[in-house]
Every structure is written in structure tokens, then in C-alpha cells.
Amino acid sequence: MSSRPKKRLPEMRVASFPVRISSILCTKMRVTAGSLLVWTLVNLGRNLTDTVVTRKAHTLVTAGPYRWIRHPFYAATALTIVANGLAAANWFLLAAGTMTVALLVARTRKE
């Protein structure tokens, strides 16, 4: 057995923010995203589908967050992904999240 101390990996800082400020910011982003998601699902009602299809008996939703945002579900998802990447202070998660957001943007063009 070696008695050498283990090398610690360097800590990653989120931009130049101290950890406390960045964790508070990320928590606020997550709460905002969660609230937007719930508000969206409540206002979608029976129009919620798991695939990109238009139902025969659909209605145009213009209430709730749809008054201001065309795709609030995707906006909430994107905000959550960014918040998680920043909270983890992991560039890989942030990059993977950015790619996921890019795929969501591509999907919104179909809708």
C-alpha cells in the first residue's frame, strides 16, 4: 500500500461566481422552470401528446404561458438543463445539455 496522499481534482467554478451565489441562482432557475412546466401542463389539458402530431379535435391554447411563449414546455426543459449544468459545475453536462436544447429547437420547427 502506498502512503502517498491522493491527488484531488481541481474544483471547477461557475464563471467567477462563488459557490453560494451560483447554487442560489441555479435553485431559482430550477424553481422557475418547474413552475413554468406545471403551469404549461395545466393549461394544455387534453391537448398534451407524447408525439409531434396534430389531433383532429385539437384546440389552439392561448391561455397561461402560451400568451407569451410559443413553446413553454421546451423553454422550461431548456432552463432546467442549463441550471443543472451550472449547478453541477461540469462542462460536460453543460455541453450535453446545450446539445439537447439544440435538438429541442429542431423539434419545435416541426410543431
Side-chain angles (χ1 to χ4, degrees):
M1 294 236 170
S2 175
S3 62
R4 292 188 304 184
K6 292 182 181 178
K7 289 185 179 181
R8 290 184 55 170
L9 294 174
E11 293 182 17
M12 184 177 147
R13 294 175 56 94
V14 179
S16 60
F17 297 121
V19 173
R20 183 178 177 96
I21 293 173
S22 64
S23 65
I24 291 171
L25 175 67
C26 292
T27 300
K28 287 183 179 185
M29 289 171 67
R30 288 174 176 162
V31 169
T32 301
S35 301
L36 179 60
L37 180 62
V38 169
W39 191 24
T40 299
L41 294 177
V42 167
N43 281 279
L44 266 179
R46 301 184 95 185
N47 289 317
L48 181 64
T49 62
D50 59 348
T51 58
V52 183
V53 294
T54 303
R55 293 182 177 180
K56 289 181 182 178
H58 76 280
T59 56
L60 180 63
V61 180
T62 57
Y66 287 93
R67 281 184 241 163
W68 301 286
I69 306 172
R70 184 171 178 150
H71 297 289
F73 183 84
Y74 295 148
T77 302
L79 187 59
T80 301
I81 289 169
V82 171
N84 289 340
L86 290 173
N90 184 318
W91 294 115
F92 175 76
L93 287 179
L94 194 57
T98 302
M99 289 173 47
T100 303
V101 170
L103 291 172
L104 287 175
V105 168
R107 180 178 168 147
T108 60
R109 292 189 178 144
K110 286 186 173 186
E111 292 185 3

